[in-house]
Structure formats: structure tokens, C-alpha cells
Amino acid sequence: MEQGEAHVGDTLAPIDEQLALHAHEDIQSPAPSLGSVCGQLYRYNGHQRTAALRDRRTGKVVALHFPAALAATVRQALGKEVETWGRLTRNVHDQVESISVEGLAVFETSAPGIALDDVIGVLGPDWTEGVDSVEWIGRQRG
């Protein structure tokens, strides 16, 4: 195929400079933008000041580049759910590939669940006035 021609299937068609320019622009990655990503921080490299998180929304890996001032914060967040924000770069499919981190917040984890066995009998035998639970609920419903 020669320059200035496009080959689609069995058809060879000439393309002009303007069409070639538009096609080239369409396959370029979008310009960086400001935004945030939430996910689990799972990789940290303090020497290169890089980290990675798995995007909660897409499941994709997002590379993080952070300033020295945030190194301790990023290191302490390793293995935790975080929200990070800054300058995002995206691929041609508009998926976030990397963030130049300006800030990072760790999500507070909820308390671990309580097993049913841990609460059975916690209210004592008197709270149902001596009747079984089925009868007690029936009385409450009237």
C-alpha cells in the first residue's frame, strides 16, 4: 500500500491530506484531564514514586505517579480502598491509564460483621415475657 491510499477489504481508495490528519487525530489519546479514581491500592514503589490501584468501577489497573510529599500517605494506604485525584491520562477507549496524584484519601473500612451466634441470647430470657419468639411476634402484631 502506498502513502496516500487506504485499503479497505478489496477496495483501494485515495485519501487526501485533510482526511489523513483527521484519522490520525482520532487515534490519538485524549488530552490529560482532572479527575479521580477509587479502588484498592496494591502496589507501591517509593524509589520511583509510583503505585498502582485496581479501579473499583472498571477493574483495570491504573498507574499512579506521586510527589515525594505524598510518599508516606501512599505507603500507608497500601492494601486499602482509596480515592485518588489529580491529572488523568486516558487511552483511546477513554479508560483511565494513569494519574499524576495531587491527593489521596483512604476510605474508612466498616466494622467486621457480627455472626448470629454472637448475638443469640444477648437480650436474656425476659424480653419476650417468657413466651417463644413466634408467639411474642404474634402478640406484637395484634
Side-chain angles (χ1 to χ4, degrees), residues 3-42:
Q3 188 174 8
E5 295 179 341
H7 191 261
V8 179
D10 292 330
T11 306
L12 186 63
I15 58 172
D16 63 14
E17 208 173 303
Q18 190 67 28
L19 183 59
L21 176 64
H22 288 305
H24 181 70
E25 288 173 353
D26 281 348
I27 61 171
Q28 297 300 310
S29 296
S33 61
L34 297 178
S36 66
V37 176
C38 298
Q40 183 178 26
L41 188 66
Y42 73 92

Side-chain angles (χ1 to χ4, degrees), residues 52-136:
L53 66 81
R54 185 156 311 275
D55 186 332
R56 180 191 301 165
R57 189 175 49 84
T58 65
K60 303 278 186 194
V61 174
V62 177
L64 307 178
H65 306 277
F66 54 88
L70 288 176
T73 303
V74 174
R75 185 177 60 249
Q76 291 171 348
L78 189 60
K80 298 179 181 173
E81 288 288 319
V82 300
E83 177 181 18
T84 184
W85 57 91
R87 189 177 190 107
L88 308 177
T89 58
R90 298 174 183 271
N91 62 22
V92 295
H93 304 288
D94 203 32
Q95 297 167 330
V96 177
E97 288 190 329
S98 68
I99 304 176
S100 293
V101 179
E102 294 179 13
L104 181 139
V106 176
F107 288 112
E108 294 299 322
T109 57
S110 59
I114 298 173
L116 185 57
D117 290 340
D118 294 338
V119 296
I120 290 177
V122 74
L123 298 176
D126 295 337
W127 80 279
T128 61
E129 301 169 352
V131 299
D132 68 33
S133 59
V134 174
E135 185 178 341
W136 187 82

